[in-house]
Amino acid sequence: MEAIWLYQFRLIVIGDSTVGKSCLIRRFTEGRFAQVSDPTVGVDFFSRLVEIEPGKRIKLQIWDTAGQERFRSITRAYYRNSVGGLLLFDITNRRSFQNVHDWLEEARSHVQPHSIVFLLVGHKCDLEAQRQVTRQEAEKLAGAYGMRYIETSARDAINVEHAFTELTREIFALVRSGDITIQEGWEGVKSGFVPNVVHSSEEVTKSDRRCLC
Amino acid sequence: MRRRSSSSASWRNPTDKRRSESERFDEFGFAFTNRREQKLHHRCHDYSYPQLSSVRVKELCELLSYWNGASFICKSQIERFIRMGIPPSLRGRMWKCLLNVDGVRECSDFNYQTCLSEVRGPLVDLGVSEYGILSAIATLSDTQNDLRLNQRQLSGSNCYSIDDINLFRQIALDLQRSFPTHRSLMGQSSEAIEGQAKLFRVLVAYAKYNPQAGYSQGMSYIAAVLLMQLGEEEAFWALTAMLDKSKYLAELFDLSLTKVQHQVKVFDQFLKHRKARLSKHLDSAGVLLVHFVMPWFLTLFTSLPCWDSVLAVWDLIILQGLQAVFRTALTIIELLEPRLMELNDEETMLPLLLRVPVE
């Protein structure tokens, strides 16, 4: 049985090696925390539904990527077909924060002609004692790039749901306002099935508006 | 095949992850974890596979003692044994023979011990030791930060380079996560500390030995499997044989991963030829081979759930080289074919291929 969803968004999760990309995704999609997880060799793939408003479900397809530099030749192929991204750094590792700029550059140069809605995520916020990046400076950096900033912990399940839902809402709003449109041959956003009827993208948008009135 | 697991271990508190009396390991040294965790680490199993009779074991011993890598007869005989199943106690010896570990070492002007003592200098200067991987990671991260923050040039008195720091750190990071439930690498026991230190040294030495390939994620798995069968220096030479010889994986590892991507394309053609219908089916669902074949290749199938099959696959790869890698990938896809043909989208097909189920 196909679950019923309005749209499908494709997200990509990037950031330095061992900032906790896979753990965050697994917490979100499987609801558990793995004490240990294998390094991602290439890309991994997960999916889950989120409900952004009662009855409005969005399917997320999440691409997990390898952090090691040499895998970029492979992971960069995934930017083009992503509508959103979580850019992770580890709040206990300053360098991973300093590399945020490089990651954005990397994404920006490979996403053309599309663009990606990014959310900056300070991960491992349960390790407050080892913090090397303050919330203020992370917020400042996020602001400078026009992103939101959220701190998460996969271990203690802090803000994990929130981070993914916020990003989904943000993209949903852009789709609804027409700033992001569904395009043939682009996997970033796809329209889903509304009960009994298969709508084209425009019709889905219209029916949305009706619901909202 | 999966059976009961030790339920006493509490996984809620990370400090409890130390080795406790109650911890049990399967035949190949993978820890039994509690049921909740098993979906994540579906590693541990109770195995039962046909055992070689004592007569056969004796025959195999004899074959190995007069082993001649150039002899066709030796090779076809060993292939027969591999098909019957190699007893775990003889596997290390067989790999050593097939990879010609002693020959490779004798022919090389590289010296493992000398290399390690050269690496010792930078490690000491940086204040890190392979016997404390966690603190090594912290120290190396801090050093990286300092260098970047102060835009400091490395002074001539230091005998390490930025590349060294990056190399040590990346390897240290991956040690924590390569077979994290295997007894030789798990937690903080003395066995694990020693195991991680060995793995660190082998990988660093390999990156020094072959700077064109350096260290790539995936290698930690290959080296770890070799260390489970061989002594440290033997494992190092076995790794060089596997990664450098064109018969084996020389065409898989390079700095930019172009080679492995090329091999995936070759495999794609191969699959189109051998399994036209399935290949088309994958294509139409948008499933790209590179997604799952590349990790299979770069970690040499160590992500397969049952360790007896991983080792059997390795026996064949060590005998036949890259062609066995291709054949294994084809076999896995063939086994999954009936299930794949029933599925129609990337979303359900990819997880099956990325995390091959036990059955």
Side-chain angles (χ1 to χ4, degrees), chain A residues 10 17-18 26 30 32 35-39 44-45 47 59 61 68 70-71 73-74 78 93 95 98-99, chain B residues 11 17 36 40-41 144-145 148 169-170 173 177 213 215-217 221 255-256 291 294 346-347 354-355:
Chain A
R10 202 172 260 222
S17 209
T18 63
R26 292 209 143 182
E30 294 168 2
R32 58 179 93 212
Q35 289 289 350
V36 282
S37 91
D38 304 347
D44 206 344
F45 178 80
S47 61
K59 183 157 89 179
Q61 288 195 333
Q68 198 190 3
R70 66 175 67 189
F71 283 92
S73 62
I74 287 146
Y78 294 82
N93 176 4
R95 186 176 156 98
Q98 288 159 337
N99 285 341
Chain B
W11 286 81
K17 235 190 81 206
R36 209 167 56 82
L40 287 176
H41 311 295
Q144 273 184 337
N145 285 336
R148 184 152 169 166
R169 182 168 175 273
Q170 185 68 55
L173 286 175
R177 349 184 248 171
Y215 169 72
S216 170
Q217 289 188 319
Y221 292 102
L255 276 178
S256 59
H291 288 157
M294 192 186 68
E346 188 180 25
E347 193 172 308
L354 283 167
R355 292 171 281 273

CSV table of all heavy atoms in Angstrom, one decimal, chain A residues 10 17-18 26 30 32 35-39 44-45 47 59 61 68 70-71 73-74 78 93 95 98-99, chain B residues 11 17 36 40-41 144-145 148 169-170 173 177 213 215-217 221 255-256 291 294 346-347 354-355:
chain,number,residue,atom,x,y,z
A,10,ARG,N,13.1,15.8,-1.7
A,10,ARG,CA,14.4,15.1,-1.6
A,10,ARG,C,15.4,15.9,-0.8
A,10,ARG,O,15.7,17.1,-1.2
A,10,ARG,CB,14.9,14.8,-2.9
A,10,ARG,CG,15.9,13.6,-3.0
A,10,ARG,CD,16.2,13.3,-4.4
A,10,ARG,NE,15.4,12.2,-4.8
A,10,ARG,CZ,15.9,11.2,-5.6
A,10,ARG,NH1,17.1,11.2,-6.0
A,10,ARG,NH2,15.1,10.2,-5.9
A,17,SER,N,33.3,14.6,8.2
A,17,SER,CA,33.3,13.3,8.7
A,17,SER,C,33.0,13.3,10.2
A,17,SER,O,33.6,14.1,10.9
A,17,SER,CB,34.7,12.7,8.5
A,17,SER,OG,34.7,11.3,8.3
A,18,THR,N,32.2,12.3,10.7
A,18,THR,CA,31.9,12.1,12.1
A,18,THR,C,31.2,13.2,12.8
A,18,THR,O,31.3,13.3,14.0
A,18,THR,CB,33.1,11.6,13.0
A,18,THR,OG1,34.1,12.7,13.0
A,18,THR,CG2,33.7,10.4,12.5
A,26,ARG,N,19.3,8.4,11.3
A,26,ARG,CA,18.7,7.1,11.9
A,26,ARG,C,17.8,7.4,13.0
A,26,ARG,O,16.8,6.7,13.2
A,26,ARG,CB,19.9,6.2,12.3
A,26,ARG,CG,20.6,5.7,11.1
A,26,ARG,CD,21.2,4.3,11.4
A,26,ARG,NE,21.2,3.6,10.2
A,26,ARG,CZ,21.6,2.3,10.1
A,26,ARG,NH1,22.0,1.7,11.2
A,26,ARG,NH2,21.5,1.7,9.0
A,30,GLU,N,14.4,5.9,12.2
A,30,GLU,CA,14.2,4.7,12.8
A,30,GLU,C,13.9,4.9,14.3
A,30,GLU,O,13.6,3.9,15.0
A,30,GLU,CB,15.4,3.8,12.7
A,30,GLU,CG,15.7,3.3,11.2
A,30,GLU,CD,17.0,2.7,11.0
A,30,GLU,OE1,17.8,2.5,12.0
A,30,GLU,OE2,17.3,2.4,9.9
A,32,ARG,N,15.8,5.5,16.7
A,32,ARG,CA,16.8,4.9,17.7
A,32,ARG,C,18.1,5.5,17.5
A,32,ARG,O,18.5,6.1,16.5
A,32,ARG,CB,16.8,3.4,17.6
A,32,ARG,CG,17.3,3.0,16.2
A,32,ARG,CD,17.3,1.5,16.1
A,32,ARG,NE,16.1,0.9,15.6
A,32,ARG,CZ,15.7,-0.3,16.0
A,32,ARG,NH1,16.3,-1.0,16.9
A,32,ARG,NH2,14.6,-0.8,15.5
A,35,GLN,N,24.8,3.5,19.1
A,35,GLN,CA,26.1,3.9,19.8
A,35,GLN,C,27.2,4.0,18.8
A,35,GLN,O,28.1,4.7,18.9
A,35,GLN,CB,26.4,2.9,20.9
A,35,GLN,CG,25.5,2.9,22.0
A,35,GLN,CD,25.7,4.2,22.9
A,35,GLN,OE1,26.7,4.9,22.7
A,35,GLN,NE2,24.8,4.4,23.8
A,36,VAL,N,27.2,3.0,17.9
A,36,VAL,CA,28.3,2.9,16.9
A,36,VAL,C,27.6,2.9,15.5
A,36,VAL,O,26.6,2.2,15.4
A,36,VAL,CB,29.1,1.7,17.2
A,36,VAL,CG1,30.0,1.9,18.3
A,36,VAL,CG2,28.2,0.5,17.4
A,37,SER,N,28.2,3.5,14.6
A,37,SER,CA,27.7,3.4,13.2
A,37,SER,C,28.9,3.4,12.3
A,37,SER,O,29.9,3.9,12.5
A,37,SER,CB,26.7,4.4,12.9
A,37,SER,OG,27.3,5.5,12.3
A,38,ASP,N,28.7,2.7,11.2
A,38,ASP,CA,29.8,2.5,10.2
A,38,ASP,C,30.0,3.9,9.5
A,38,ASP,O,29.1,4.6,9.3
A,38,ASP,CB,29.4,1.5,9.2
A,38,ASP,CG,29.1,0.1,9.8
A,38,ASP,OD1,29.4,0.0,11.0
A,38,ASP,OD2,28.5,-0.7,9.1
A,39,PRO,N,31.2,4.1,9.0
A,39,PRO,CA,31.4,5.3,8.2
A,39,PRO,C,30.6,5.1,6.9
A,39,PRO,O,30.5,3.9,6.4
A,39,PRO,CB,32.9,5.2,7.8
A,39,PRO,CG,33.5,4.2,8.7
A,39,PRO,CD,32.5,3.3,9.2
A,44,ASP,N,24.1,6.9,1.4
A,44,ASP,CA,23.1,6.0,1.9
A,44,ASP,C,21.7,6.6,1.8
A,44,ASP,O,21.7,7.8,1.5
A,44,ASP,CB,23.4,5.7,3.4
A,44,ASP,CG,22.9,4.3,3.9
A,44,ASP,OD1,22.0,3.8,3.1
A,44,ASP,OD2,23.3,3.8,4.9
A,45,PHE,N,20.7,5.9,2.0
A,45,PHE,CA,19.4,6.4,1.6
A,45,PHE,C,18.3,6.0,2.6
A,45,PHE,O,18.3,4.8,3.1
A,45,PHE,CB,19.0,5.7,0.3
A,45,PHE,CG,17.7,6.1,-0.2
A,45,PHE,CD1,17.5,7.3,-0.8
A,45,PHE,CD2,16.6,5.2,-0.1
A,45,PHE,CE1,16.2,7.7,-1.3
A,45,PHE,CE2,15.3,5.6,-0.5
A,45,PHE,CZ,15.1,6.8,-1.1
A,47,SER,N,14.1,7.1,4.1
A,47,SER,CA,12.9,7.9,3.8
A,47,SER,C,11.9,7.8,5.0
A,47,SER,O,11.9,6.9,5.8
A,47,SER,CB,12.2,7.4,2.5
A,47,SER,OG,11.8,6.0,2.7
A,59,LYS,N,6.4,13.3,2.1
A,59,LYS,CA,7.4,12.2,2.1
A,59,LYS,C,8.8,12.8,1.9
A,59,LYS,O,9.0,13.5,1.0
A,59,LYS,CB,7.1,11.2,1.0
A,59,LYS,CG,8.1,10.0,1.1
A,59,LYS,CD,7.5,8.8,0.5
A,59,LYS,CE,7.9,8.8,-1.0
A,59,LYS,NZ,7.4,7.5,-1.6
A,61,GLN,N,12.7,12.0,1.2
A,61,GLN,CA,13.7,11.0,0.8
A,61,GLN,C,15.0,11.7,1.2
A,61,GLN,O,15.4,12.8,0.8
A,61,GLN,CB,13.7,10.8,-0.7
A,61,GLN,CG,12.6,10.1,-1.2
A,61,GLN,CD,12.8,9.6,-2.6
A,61,GLN,OE1,13.5,10.2,-3.4
A,61,GLN,NE2,12.2,8.5,-3.0
A,68,GLN,N,34.2,12.1,4.1
A,68,GLN,CA,35.6,12.2,3.6
A,68,GLN,C,35.7,12.9,2.3
A,68,GLN,O,35.0,12.7,1.4
A,68,GLN,CB,36.3,10.8,3.5
A,68,GLN,CG,37.8,11.0,3.5
A,68,GLN,CD,38.5,9.6,3.2
A,68,GLN,OE1,37.9,8.6,2.9
A,68,GLN,NE2,39.8,9.7,3.2
A,70,ARG,N,37.5,12.9,-0.3
A,70,ARG,CA,37.6,12.3,-1.7
A,70,ARG,C,36.3,11.7,-2.2
A,70,ARG,O,36.2,11.4,-3.4
A,70,ARG,CB,38.6,11.1,-1.7
A,70,ARG,CG,38.3,10.0,-0.8
A,70,ARG,CD,39.3,8.9,-1.0
A,70,ARG,NE,40.6,9.3,-0.4
A,70,ARG,CZ,41.8,8.6,-0.6
A,70,ARG,NH1,41.7,7.5,-1.3
A,70,ARG,NH2,42.9,9.0,-0.1
A,71,PHE,N,35.3,11.6,-1.3
A,71,PHE,CA,34.0,11.1,-1.8
A,71,PHE,C,33.2,12.2,-2.4
A,71,PHE,O,32.1,12.0,-2.9
A,71,PHE,CB,33.2,10.5,-0.7
A,71,PHE,CG,33.7,9.1,-0.4
A,71,PHE,CD1,34.7,8.9,0.6
A,71,PHE,CD2,33.2,8.0,-1.1
A,71,PHE,CE1,35.2,7.6,0.9
A,71,PHE,CE2,33.7,6.7,-0.8
A,71,PHE,CZ,34.7,6.6,0.2
A,73,SER,N,33.5,13.7,-5.1
A,73,SER,CA,33.3,13.5,-6.6
A,73,SER,C,32.0,12.7,-6.8
A,73,SER,O,31.4,12.8,-7.8
A,73,SER,CB,34.5,12.9,-7.2
A,73,SER,OG,34.7,11.6,-6.7
A,74,ILE,N,31.7,11.9,-5.8
A,74,ILE,CA,30.5,11.1,-5.9
A,74,ILE,C,29.3,11.8,-5.3
A,74,ILE,O,28.2,11.9,-5.9
A,74,ILE,CB,30.7,9.7,-5.2
A,74,ILE,CG1,31.6,8.9,-6.1
A,74,ILE,CG2,29.4,9.0,-5.0
A,74,ILE,CD1,32.5,8.0,-5.4
A,78,TYR,N,24.5,14.5,-6.1
A,78,TYR,CA,23.2,14.5,-5.4
A,78,TYR,C,22.6,15.9,-5.1
A,78,TYR,O,21.5,16.0,-4.8
A,78,TYR,CB,23.3,13.7,-4.1
A,78,TYR,CG,23.6,12.2,-4.4
A,78,TYR,CD1,24.9,11.8,-4.7
A,78,TYR,CD2,22.6,11.3,-4.6
A,78,TYR,CE1,25.2,10.5,-5.1
A,78,TYR,CE2,22.8,10.0,-5.0
A,78,TYR,CZ,24.1,9.6,-5.2
A,78,TYR,OH,24.4,8.4,-5.6
A,93,ASN,N,33.4,20.4,17.9
A,93,ASN,CA,34.6,20.4,17.0
A,93,ASN,C,34.5,21.6,16.1
A,93,ASN,O,33.8,21.8,15.2
A,93,ASN,CB,34.5,19.1,16.1
A,93,ASN,CG,35.7,19.1,15.1
A,93,ASN,OD1,36.5,20.0,15.1
A,93,ASN,ND2,35.6,18.1,14.3
A,95,ARG,N,36.5,22.9,14.0
A,95,ARG,CA,36.9,22.8,12.6
A,95,ARG,C,35.7,22.5,11.7
A,95,ARG,O,35.5,23.0,10.6
A,95,ARG,CB,37.9,21.8,12.4
A,95,ARG,CG,38.5,21.8,11.0
A,95,ARG,CD,39.6,20.8,10.9
A,95,ARG,NE,39.7,20.3,9.6
A,95,ARG,CZ,40.6,20.8,8.7
A,95,ARG,NH1,41.4,21.8,9.1
A,95,ARG,NH2,40.7,20.3,7.5
A,98,GLN,N,34.0,25.6,11.1
A,98,GLN,CA,34.7,26.5,10.1
A,98,GLN,C,34.6,26.0,8.7
A,98,GLN,O,34.7,26.7,7.7
A,98,GLN,CB,36.2,26.5,10.5
A,98,GLN,CG,36.5,27.3,11.7
A,98,GLN,CD,37.8,27.0,12.4
A,98,GLN,OE1,38.3,25.9,12.2
A,98,GLN,NE2,38.3,27.9,13.2
A,99,ASN,N,34.3,24.7,8.5
A,99,ASN,CA,34.2,24.1,7.2
A,99,ASN,C,32.8,24.3,6.6
A,99,ASN,O,32.6,24.0,5.4
A,99,ASN,CB,34.5,22.6,7.2
A,99,ASN,CG,36.0,22.4,7.3
A,99,ASN,OD1,36.8,23.3,7.0
A,99,ASN,ND2,36.4,21.2,7.7
B,11,TRP,N,22.2,-0.5,27.2
B,11,TRP,CA,22.8,0.3,26.2
B,11,TRP,C,22.4,1.7,26.3
B,11,TRP,O,22.7,2.5,25.5
B,11,TRP,CB,22.3,-0.3,24.8
B,11,TRP,CG,23.0,-1.5,24.5
B,11,TRP,CD1,22.6,-2.8,25.0
B,11,TRP,CD2,24.1,-1.7,23.7
B,11,TRP,NE1,23.5,-3.7,24.5
B,11,TRP,CE2,24.4,-3.0,23.7
B,11,TRP,CE3,24.9,-0.8,22.9
B,11,TRP,CZ2,25.5,-3.5,23.0
B,11,TRP,CZ3,26.0,-1.3,22.2
B,11,TRP,CH2,26.3,-2.7,22.3
B,17,LYS,N,29.1,0.6,27.8
B,17,LYS,CA,29.5,-0.2,26.7
B,17,LYS,C,30.8,-0.9,26.8
B,17,LYS,O,31.3,-1.6,25.9
B,17,LYS,CB,29.5,0.7,25.4
B,17,LYS,CG,28.6,0.2,24.3
B,17,LYS,CD,28.9,1.0,23.1
B,17,LYS,CE,30.1,0.5,22.3
B,17,LYS,NZ,30.7,1.5,21.5
B,36,ARG,N,16.8,-5.2,20.8
B,36,ARG,CA,16.5,-3.9,20.2
B,36,ARG,C,17.6,-3.3,19.3
B,36,ARG,O,17.3,-2.7,18.3
B,36,ARG,CB,16.3,-2.9,21.4
B,36,ARG,CG,15.3,-1.8,21.2
B,36,ARG,CD,15.0,-1.1,22.5
B,36,ARG,NE,16.2,-0.6,23.2
B,36,ARG,CZ,16.8,0.5,22.9
B,36,ARG,NH1,16.3,1.3,22.0
B,36,ARG,NH2,17.9,0.9,23.5
B,40,LEU,N,20.1,-2.9,14.1
B,40,LEU,CA,21.2,-2.1,13.7
B,40,LEU,C,22.5,-2.8,13.4
B,40,LEU,O,23.2,-2.6,12.5
B,40,LEU,CB,21.4,-1.0,14.7
B,40,LEU,CG,20.4,0.1,14.8
B,40,LEU,CD1,20.7,1.1,15.9
B,40,LEU,CD2,20.3,0.9,13.5
B,41,HIS,N,22.7,-3.7,14.3
B,41,HIS,CA,24.0,-4.5,14.2
B,41,HIS,C,23.6,-6.0,14.0
B,41,HIS,O,23.8,-6.8,14.9
B,41,HIS,CB,24.8,-4.3,15.4
B,41,HIS,CG,25.0,-2.9,15.9
B,41,HIS,ND1,25.6,-2.0,15.1
B,41,HIS,CD2,24.5,-2.3,17.0
B,41,HIS,CE1,25.6,-0.8,15.7
B,41,HIS,NE2,24.9,-1.0,16.8
B,144,GLN,N,44.4,20.8,14.5
B,144,GLN,CA,43.9,21.4,13.3
B,144,GLN,C,43.2,22.7,13.5
B,144,GLN,O,43.5,23.6,12.7
B,144,GLN,CB,42.8,20.4,12.7
B,144,GLN,CG,43.3,19.3,11.9
B,144,GLN,CD,42.1,18.4,11.4
B,144,GLN,OE1,41.0,18.4,11.9
B,144,GLN,NE2,42.4,17.7,10.3
B,145,ASN,N,42.5,22.9,14.5
B,145,ASN,CA,41.8,24.1,14.8
B,145,ASN,C,42.8,25.2,15.0
B,145,ASN,O,42.7,26.3,14.5
B,145,ASN,CB,40.9,24.0,16.1
B,145,ASN,CG,39.7,23.2,15.8
B,145,ASN,OD1,39.2,23.2,14.6
B,145,ASN,ND2,39.1,22.6,16.8
B,148,ARG,N,44.5,26.4,11.9
B,148,ARG,CA,43.6,27.2,11.1
B,148,ARG,C,43.3,28.6,11.7
B,148,ARG,O,43.3,29.6,11.0
B,148,ARG,CB,42.3,26.4,10.9
B,148,ARG,CG,41.4,27.1,9.9
B,148,ARG,CD,40.5,26.1,9.3
B,148,ARG,NE,39.5,26.8,8.6
B,148,ARG,CZ,38.7,26.3,7.7
B,148,ARG,NH1,38.8,25.1,7.4
B,148,ARG,NH2,37.8,27.1,7.1
B,169,ARG,N,44.1,11.8,11.7
B,169,ARG,CA,42.8,12.1,12.3
B,169,ARG,C,41.7,11.3,11.6
B,169,ARG,O,40.8,10.7,12.2
B,169,ARG,CB,42.5,13.6,12.2
B,169,ARG,CG,41.1,13.9,12.9
B,169,ARG,CD,40.9,15.4,13.0
B,169,ARG,NE,39.6,15.7,13.5
B,169,ARG,CZ,38.5,15.8,12.7
B,169,ARG,NH1,38.7,15.8,11.4
B,169,ARG,NH2,37.3,16.1,13.2
B,170,GLN,N,41.7,11.2,10.3
B,170,GLN,CA,40.7,10.5,9.5
B,170,GLN,C,40.8,9.0,9.9
B,170,GLN,O,39.7,8.4,10.1
B,170,GLN,CB,40.9,10.7,8.0
B,170,GLN,CG,39.8,10.0,7.2
B,170,GLN,CD,38.4,10.7,7.4
B,170,GLN,OE1,38.3,11.9,7.2
B,170,GLN,NE2,37.4,10.0,7.8
B,173,LEU,N,39.4,8.5,13.4
B,173,LEU,CA,37.9,8.6,13.4
B,173,LEU,C,37.3,7.3,13.0
B,173,LEU,O,36.3,6.9,13.5
B,173,LEU,CB,37.5,9.8,12.5
B,173,LEU,CG,37.7,11.2,12.9
B,173,LEU,CD1,37.3,12.2,11.8
B,173,LEU,CD2,36.9,11.5,14.2
B,177,ARG,N,34.7,3.1,14.3
B,177,ARG,CA,33.5,2.7,13.7
B,177,ARG,C,33.6,1.6,12.7
B,177,ARG,O,32.7,1.3,11.9
B,177,ARG,CB,32.8,3.9,12.9
B,177,ARG,CG,33.4,5.2,13.2
B,177,ARG,CD,32.6,6.3,12.5
B,177,ARG,NE,33.3,6.9,11.5
B,177,ARG,CZ,32.8,7.8,10.6
B,177,ARG,NH1,31.5,8.1,10.7
B,177,ARG,NH2,33.5,8.3,9.7
B,213,ALA,N,47.4,6.4,-3.3
B,213,ALA,CA,46.1,6.0,-2.8
B,213,ALA,C,45.8,6.6,-1.4
B,213,ALA,O,44.7,6.9,-1.1
B,213,ALA,CB,46.0,4.5,-2.7
B,215,TYR,N,44.8,7.1,2.4
B,215,TYR,CA,43.8,6.3,3.1
B,215,TYR,C,42.5,6.7,2.6
B,215,TYR,O,42.1,7.9,2.4
B,215,TYR,CB,43.9,6.7,4.6
B,215,TYR,CG,42.7,6.1,5.3
B,215,TYR,CD1,42.6,4.8,5.6
B,215,TYR,CD2,41.7,7.0,5.8
B,215,TYR,CE1,41.5,4.2,6.2
B,215,TYR,CE2,40.6,6.4,6.4
B,215,TYR,CZ,40.5,5.1,6.6
B,215,TYR,OH,39.3,4.6,7.2
B,216,SER,N,41.7,5.7,2.3
B,216,SER,CA,40.3,5.9,1.8
B,216,SER,C,39.4,5.2,2.8
B,216,SER,O,39.7,4.1,3.2
B,216,SER,CB,40.2,5.4,0.4
B,216,SER,OG,38.8,5.4,0.0
B,217,GLN,N,38.2,5.8,3.0
B,217,GLN,CA,37.2,5.1,3.8
B,217,GLN,C,36.9,3.8,3.1
B,217,GLN,O,36.7,3.8,1.9
B,217,GLN,CB,36.0,6.0,4.0
B,217,GLN,CG,36.3,7.1,5.0
B,217,GLN,CD,35.1,7.9,5.4
B,217,GLN,OE1,34.2,8.2,4.6
B,217,GLN,NE2,35.1,8.3,6.7
B,221,TYR,N,38.0,-1.4,6.8
B,221,TYR,CA,37.3,-2.7,6.8
B,221,TYR,C,38.2,-3.8,6.3
B,221,TYR,O,38.3,-4.8,6.9
B,221,TYR,CB,36.1,-2.6,6.0
B,221,TYR,CG,35.0,-1.7,6.6
B,221,TYR,CD1,34.7,-0.5,6.0
B,221,TYR,CD2,34.2,-2.1,7.6
B,221,TYR,CE1,33.7,0.3,6.5
B,221,TYR,CE2,33.2,-1.3,8.1
B,221,TYR,CZ,33.0,-0.1,7.6
B,221,TYR,OH,32.0,0.7,8.1
B,255,LEU,N,43.1,8.5,-5.3
B,255,LEU,CA,42.7,9.6,-4.5
B,255,LEU,C,41.3,10.2,-4.8
B,255,LEU,O,40.6,10.6,-3.9
B,255,LEU,CB,43.8,10.7,-4.6
B,255,LEU,CG,45.0,10.6,-3.8
B,255,LEU,CD1,46.0,11.7,-4.1
B,255,LEU,CD2,44.7,10.6,-2.3
B,256,SER,N,41.0,10.2,-6.1
B,256,SER,CA,39.7,10.8,-6.4
B,256,SER,C,38.6,9.9,-6.6
B,256,SER,O,37.5,10.3,-7.0
B,256,SER,CB,39.9,11.6,-7.7
B,256,SER,OG,40.3,10.7,-8.7
B,291,HIS,N,25.3,3.6,-6.4
B,291,HIS,CA,24.8,3.7,-5.0
B,291,HIS,C,25.2,2.5,-4.2
B,291,HIS,O,25.6,2.7,-3.0
B,291,HIS,CB,23.3,3.8,-5.0
B,291,HIS,CG,22.7,5.0,-5.5
B,291,HIS,ND1,21.5,5.2,-6.0
B,291,HIS,CD2,23.3,6.3,-5.6
B,291,HIS,CE1,21.3,6.4,-6.4
B,291,HIS,NE2,22.4,7.1,-6.1
B,294,MET,N,29.4,0.6,-5.4
B,294,MET,CA,30.6,1.2,-4.9
B,294,MET,C,30.9,0.8,-3.5
B,294,MET,O,32.0,0.4,-3.2
B,294,MET,CB,30.5,2.7,-5.1
B,294,MET,CG,31.9,3.3,-4.9
B,294,MET,SD,31.8,5.1,-5.0
B,294,MET,CE,30.9,5.4,-3.5
B,346,GLU,N,12.8,3.3,-6.4
B,346,GLU,CA,14.1,3.5,-5.8
B,346,GLU,C,14.1,3.3,-4.3
B,346,GLU,O,14.9,2.7,-3.7
B,346,GLU,CB,14.6,4.9,-6.2
B,346,GLU,CG,16.0,5.2,-5.9
B,346,GLU,CD,16.3,6.6,-6.3
B,346,GLU,OE1,15.4,7.4,-6.5
B,346,GLU,OE2,17.5,6.9,-6.5
B,347,GLU,N,13.0,3.9,-3.8
B,347,GLU,CA,12.9,4.0,-2.4
B,347,GLU,C,12.8,2.7,-1.6
B,347,GLU,O,13.2,2.5,-0.5
B,347,GLU,CB,11.6,4.8,-2.1
B,347,GLU,CG,11.5,5.3,-0.7
B,347,GLU,CD,10.3,6.2,-0.6
B,347,GLU,OE1,10.2,7.1,-1.4
B,347,GLU,OE2,9.5,5.9,0.2
B,354,LEU,N,21.4,-1.8,-0.3
B,354,LEU,CA,22.4,-1.2,0.6
B,354,LEU,C,22.6,-2.0,1.9
B,354,LEU,O,23.6,-2.0,2.5
B,354,LEU,CB,22.0,0.3,0.9
B,354,LEU,CG,22.3,1.3,-0.1
B,354,LEU,CD1,21.5,2.6,0.2
B,354,LEU,CD2,23.7,1.6,-0.3
B,355,ARG,N,21.5,-2.6,2.4
B,355,ARG,CA,21.5,-3.4,3.6
B,355,ARG,C,20.9,-4.7,3.3
B,355,ARG,O,19.8,-5.0,3.6
B,355,ARG,CB,20.7,-2.6,4.7
B,355,ARG,CG,21.4,-1.3,5.1
B,355,ARG,CD,20.5,-0.5,6.1
B,355,ARG,NE,19.5,0.2,5.3
B,355,ARG,CZ,19.7,1.4,4.8
B,355,ARG,NH1,20.8,2.0,5.0
B,355,ARG,NH2,18.7,2.0,4.2
